[in-house]
Amino acid sequence: MSSIFENAIKTPGNWLLENGPNSDIVLSCRIRLARNLKNELFPHYIKKENSKKLKENLKKIISNCASLNNSEFYEMSDITHSQKMLLLERHLISKELAEKEFGMLAVSSDEKLSIMVNEEDHLRLQAFGSGLQLSEVWEKINKLDDELAEQVEFAYSEKYGFLTACPTNVGTGMRCSILVHLPGIILINQLKSIHKAIEKLGLTIRGYYGEGSEAIGNFFQISNQITLGLSEEQIIDKINNIGKKIVEHEENARKVLLQESKIRLEDQIYRALGILKNARIISTNETMSLLSFIRLAVDLKIIKDITISTLNEILVFLQPGHLQKIAGKELSPEKRDFIRAKMIREKFSNAN
Amino acid sequence: MSSIFENAIKTPGNWLLENGPNSDIVLSCRIRLARNLKNELFPHYIKKENSKKLKENLKKIISNCASLNNSEFYEMSDITHSQKMLLLERHLISKELAEKEFGMLAVSSDEKLSIMVNEEDHLRLQAFGSGLQLSEVWEKINKLDDELAEQVEFAYSEKYGFLTACPTNVGTGMRCSILVHLPGIILINQLKSIHKAIEKLGLTIRGYYGEGSEAIGNFFQISNQITLGLSEEQIIDKINNIGKKIVEHEENARKVLLQESKIRLEDQIYRALGILKNARIISTNETMSLLSFIRLAVDLKIIKDITISTLNEILVFLQPGHLQKIAGKELSPEKRDFIRAKMIREKFSNAN
């Protein structure tokens, strides 16, 4: 099994290394499309042998897609638990897929475009981009969708649109989201009003790890709830617009902080750096909270010898699966906190 | 007015720069003697003009003492509020003396031997030493006491011993104390049993700033309560013995920490260093707590490029009066927290 696992602790996915538009505040954007084949039962109901056949059939079909012509395939039955953890932490597979006997992942070498096969739906297409560039990401995933549609017939109703295993995805089958970093808004205590504005638009705001997760490190995921009754372009427009407004709010909040409490802000930033450069034991949550101050400081050019790419690397590498890969063995949570602290000290050894 | 104020922000008193016996745990020891002149009313009752005369008379007498032949005199009426703060913070005068119109301090240039005139008693002799060396300190102060007694007659009763303004000092008029640093005992949660042992011996344990003060930075003052019915040597023996026992307990506690939770301890130490080297705003209490870890680390040779002298300098310089001297002006508490953080960063700039 090849490059993703080999490179896992050298680099995060490319979409985390690039500098897309507004990527100081909008870390990344993501679109996923749920698709099912006509004349096949949804994965929950399908028979084992058919599920296997479907997987093999889809492997050929995906290989024919120009968008994924350099892609790699990972079959869940062929990879280890540790390897599944790495794919999970890189947002390439879901927990649900990891447990599926005939689950499969197809992924481009830059990790920006991928397909899960036999998850909740037959096909889950996913595209990532750096910053706020949903139109570009949409163009890509739409092309892949077309390439698939040329080869298979999707379950589709003139009335409802694309049919999906879960009714909440019926229609466009699209979930469109942005991951935003809002330390300024949090520090000046304005999240509540942002929250209200987002809900009014029928969108949702969640923590870093998506559905049901806490807000850690001042990261938030904003995504559409509704997939029915709106076109793909309308959904993208909505998220794009709220993204732009949030960027504006966050920039204002940062200005206020610099004007009204610069020394206090610098104190928080340098304390965070001091701890990250010195801790011998550190949890994921504490790391995320402290990194938020460093990210803000880099954005504000208060800290100049750390790059956003380094911060994004840490964001991926601090997770259990990646730490185990770094250590070359399974680790207890206590040992992970130790290896995490060591990895961070090394990454920041030259930062002042 | 000369050297103490000029040197105040260059060096703390000599007793804080030397390495006395066990000074890794017993920072310093101190003896004070309360004395009053026969045939004079106690300072609370004396008439102004007599108080002034007394001060002038005592100045001559003190000048004649060989032990203080290089001493400097500071009259409270001649020095500024800021200068009084410096003397207070260097433990050379009390708040009570600072407010006395005819209060006077005589102090040796190394700050190890001093006399307050017209405080609660006519004379308060004080001697400091580094580490646990009460006998040496007693020898010194006893000699000064003799030199005074050759020139004046003290208020003394065959039955009670030395008579003092407050009955709690009658007898020897002696308060003997040691300042101990007990991070190990605190970290393994054994202070309570130490507390009990000390109280059983009729001694008291208090925080860093003595009577009524909180325990900050894991510093504690242990001193005698009783001045009556015990000889000076007996009091010194008691404090000496408890001092030795506490040193043993603390050393054991440190061994336990190194054996059972070295990584956790190192984590606390390096986090403390990281904050001290990076904070832009820091309070006295936080500084004291963090410095306690650094002191422990230097004692345990975990940190090698910081000296105990540097830590003792910071301990003196972090106080408001010294910070104002560093800044060259009066400072609000907020500004002090800023200047304190700056001073500490400079002191630790080369430490790793």
Side-chain angles (χ1 to χ4, degrees), chain A residues 266-299:
Chain A
E266 286 182 344
D267 183 54
Q268 291 173 297
I269 287 167
Y270 284 105
R271 279 169 178 257
L273 185 61
I275 294 172
L276 290 166
K277 284 186 70 170
N278 284 282
R280 261 55 182 172
I281 302 170
I282 197 162
S283 70
T284 302
N285 277 13
E286 187 184 3
T287 306
M288 297 276 285
S289 305
L290 298 176
L291 281 180
S292 176
F293 281 110
I294 309 302
R295 186 175 292 269
L296 178 61
V298 174
D299 290 345

Side-chain angles (χ1 to χ4, degrees), chain A residues 263-264 266-267 270-271 273-275 277-283 286 290 334 338 341 352, chain B residues 263-264 266-267 270-271 273-275 277-283 286 290 334 338 341 352:
Chain A
I263 291 175
R264 188 152 296 278
E266 286 182 344
D267 183 54
Y270 284 105
R271 279 169 178 257
L273 185 61
I275 294 172
K277 284 186 70 170
N278 284 282
R280 261 55 182 172
I281 302 170
I282 197 162
S283 70
E286 187 184 3
L290 298 176
E334 291 74 27
F338 179 77
N352 283 305
Chain B
I263 291 175
R264 189 152 295 280
E266 286 182 344
D267 183 56
Y270 284 105
R271 280 169 179 257
L273 184 62
I275 294 171
K277 285 185 69 170
N278 284 282
R280 262 53 181 172
I281 302 170
I282 197 162
S283 71
E286 187 185 4
L290 298 176
E334 291 74 28
F338 179 76
N352 282 304

Side-chain angles (χ1 to χ4, degrees), chain B residues 9-58:
Chain B
I9 54 173
K10 290 183 204 147
T11 171
N14 269 22
W15 55 278
L16 266 173
L17 291 177
E18 293 165 3
N19 294 309
N22 297 111
S23 63
D24 51 340
I25 292 167
V26 183
L27 194 75
S28 63
C29 59
R30 169 183 173 267
I31 297 177
R32 76 108 167 95
L33 298 175
R35 296 289 183 260
N36 288 280
L37 303 189
K38 198 178 173 180
N39 304 325
E40 284 290 357
L41 290 173
F42 287 139
H44 288 299
Y45 301 102
I46 201 168
K47 278 187 188 164
K48 267 197 178 188
E49 56 265 35
N50 290 343
S51 184
K52 194 180 172 191
K53 260 190 228 159
L54 191 81
K55 179 196 73 182
E56 277 153 19
N57 189 23
L58 284 172

Side-chain angles (χ1 to χ4, degrees), chain A residues 88-106:
Chain A
L88 256 165
E89 293 173 0
R90 295 171 90 84
H91 301 279
L92 294 172
I93 65 169
S94 62
K95 276 189 188 165
E96 183 162 352
L97 188 79
E99 285 159 15
K100 288 288 179 71
E101 193 178 347
F102 301 110
M104 182 174 70
L105 167 72

Side-chain angles (χ1 to χ4, degrees), chain A residues 277-336:
Chain A
K277 284 186 70 170
N278 284 282
R280 261 55 182 172
I281 302 170
I282 197 162
S283 70
T284 302
N285 277 13
E286 187 184 3
T287 306
M288 297 276 285
S289 305
L290 298 176
L291 281 180
S292 176
F293 281 110
I294 309 302
R295 186 175 292 269
L296 178 61
V298 174
D299 290 345
L300 296 175
K301 299 189 173 43
I302 292 173
I303 293 180
K304 286 172 190 142
D305 47 9
I306 294 178
T307 64
I308 288 292
S309 302
T310 300
L311 299 180
N312 289 342
E313 279 176 18
I314 296 176
L315 213 55
V316 175
F317 298 165
L318 65 75
Q319 303 175 100
H322 282 76
L323 290 178
Q324 293 186 165
K325 181 84 181 167
I326 288 170
K329 60 183 176 193
E330 297 262 318
L331 298 169
S332 66
E334 291 74 27
K335 280 278 161 63
R336 289 206 294 265

